[in-house]
Amino acid sequence: MNHDVASLALALAAAGRAFAPDVRALLRRLLGVGVRVGAASLFEQRDLAHTDSLDEGSR
């Protein structure tokens, strides 16, 4: 039983070491997409607020 636990721990460590760079790259890409989406949303809200204030000022 102890041998199985050690083998499992070594296998998990090897898998973690092998896939860590890919997981890190995926997370960075997802965070980058989130930043772009958030920035686009802020710009859209700013543009809508700007056009609304222009409409109110012309009345």
Side-chain angles (χ1 to χ4, degrees):
M1 178 90 172
N2 196 14
H3 179 68
D4 292 338
V5 173
S7 294
L8 178 63
L10 287 173
L12 288 175
R17 189 169 165 93
F19 291 112
D22 293 332
V23 170
R24 190 178 304 126
L26 177 65
L27 288 176
R28 285 186 66 170
R29 184 165 292 208
L30 287 173
L31 285 173
V33 167
V35 167
R36 282 188 219 104
V37 167
S41 174
L42 288 174
F43 281 125
E44 183 178 311
Q45 289 176 1
R46 186 189 70 169
D47 289 342
L48 287 175
H50 183 68
T51 56
D52 288 345
S53 66
L54 287 178
D55 290 342
E56 290 174 3
S58 62
R59 290 182 185 171

